[in-house]
Amino acid sequence: EDQVTQSPEALRLQEGESSSLNCSYTVSGLRGLFWYRQDPGKGPEFLFTLYSAGEEKEKERLKATLTKKESFLHITAPKPEDSATYLCAVRILSGGSNYKLTFGKGTLLTVNP
Amino acid sequence: DVKVTQSSRYLVKRTGEKVFLECVQDMDHENMFWYRQDPGLGLRLIYFSYDVKMKEKGDIPEGYSVSREKKERFSLILESASTNQTSMYLCASSFLERKKETQYFGPGTRLLVL
């Protein structure tokens, strides 16, 4: 069964304290790994897509990397406004020629001032 | 910018009522999706549609149906709402370009079934 596991479930950082979130996956036929940010009571906001092992994407204080088994979301010198739940999802074949996303349960990041 | 809108942010319904959740996207996307999100369970796919009048079951379709009469609109229907369908419902849309696809989400509808 295809699995996406995010760790830790929750992470509390001080402002400026860099860290990483992990997303490990056991899927066959990966066709993309996605990172989303979700604020309380809102829909997920797209951050990055990674398609190949070794690929990296950056946006402001965030950097996403991908290996054959996992992805990391590195947060450099975080600010309180980076506090959110970060979701990882993998795109896999859903029978026939259609694809679907399978999501991890998310990491709740809190950055204290 | 991609815009996905959902008809209601909050909805309160009674057990047994028929409930319609509407989703509209303005980017001419072929694919549309309905998810529900529950604490500890994450986002789970209910149904998706890759073309007008086409639909495919996701991971948890029981108790739900969908309708896609126009490309921009995808409706989720709860034929007879039950308390275990209390949840946050999220709609998303996407298009495929050179084998790459990104899903964009709406703001969500928080449904309470009493």
Side-chain angles (χ1 to χ4, degrees):
Chain A
E1 184 182 323
D2 298 319
Q3 292 258 3
V4 182
T5 305
Q6 292 188 246
S7 62
E9 288 185 15
L11 180 63
R12 192 175 291 270
L13 300 173
Q14 287 298 123
E15 185 171 1
E17 181 186 0
S18 301
S19 188
S20 296
L21 313 182
N22 178 262
C23 172
S24 63
Y25 58 92
T26 54
V27 301
S28 54
L30 179 74
R31 293 292 184 270
L33 185 140
F34 299 77
W35 283 99
Y36 288 85
R37 171 196 169 121
Q38 186 175 25
D39 293 304
K42 297 189 176 180
E45 175 190 343
F46 171 71
L47 292 174
F48 303 110
T49 312
L50 302 165
Y51 286 95
S52 306
E55 190 174 358
E56 298 181 352
K57 294 272 180 75
E58 281 189 73
K59 180 181 179 179
E60 296 180 356
R61 295 177 292 282
L62 300 176
K63 178 180 176 181
T65 62
L66 181 65
T67 72
K68 288 187 178 179
K69 293 183 180 179
E70 60 191 347
S71 176
F72 290 94
L73 186 65
H74 307 278
I75 304 176
T76 303
K79 298 183 177 182
E81 52 262 43
D82 294 321
S83 297
T85 295
Y86 290 85
L87 301 172
C88 167
V90 296
R91 182 168 172 260
I92 57 176
L93 204 56
S94 171
S97 60
N98 297 310
Y99 290 87
K100 67 174 185 177
L101 291 185
T102 295
F103 282 83
K105 294 180 182 178
T107 293
L108 174 62
L109 174 67
T110 305
V111 182
N112 295 315
Chain B
D1 271 358
V2 176
K3 186 88 182 222
V4 180
T5 57
Q6 295 184 228
S7 51
S8 305
R9 292 301 309 274
Y10 301 95
L11 214 49
V12 180
K13 296 292 180 180
R14 297 227 171 255
T15 300
E17 278 193 76
K18 190 169 186 174
V19 182
F20 292 87
L21 302 182
E22 301 281 332
C23 175
V24 177
Q25 50 95 2
D26 67 355
M27 287 301 293
D28 203 35
H29 286 175
E30 296 100 356
N31 309 316
M32 297 188 75
F33 307 81
W34 274 107
Y35 295 85
R36 63 177 284 176
Q37 185 175 32
D38 301 287
L41 296 176
L43 271 87
R44 294 179 292 166
L45 182 64
I46 304 171
Y47 266 97
F48 64 104
S49 168
Y50 46 89
D51 202 352
V52 176
K53 296 194 186 292
M54 305 297 284
K55 61 184 179 184
E56 190 161 330
K57 292 180 180 179
D59 300 316
I60 51 163
E62 298 78 19
Y64 303 95
S65 62
V66 290
S67 172
R68 184 129 181 243
E69 296 296 318
K70 293 185 177 180
K71 191 174 186 179
E72 68 270 17
R73 189 179 298 269
F74 192 33
S75 302
L76 180 70
I77 303 154
L78 288 65
E79 294 289 343
S80 178
S82 63
T83 55
N84 63 12
Q85 292 178 310
T86 291
S87 186
M88 172 73 138
Y89 289 87
L90 291 160
C91 174
S93 73
S94 74
F95 72 99
L96 197 62
E97 186 176 38
R98 286 179 284 182
K99 297 186 180 180
K100 296 189 176 181
E101 175 190 6
T102 298
Q103 289 188 22
Y104 297 93
F105 284 83
T109 295
R110 192 168 291 281
L111 173 66
L112 173 62
V113 183
L114 300 173

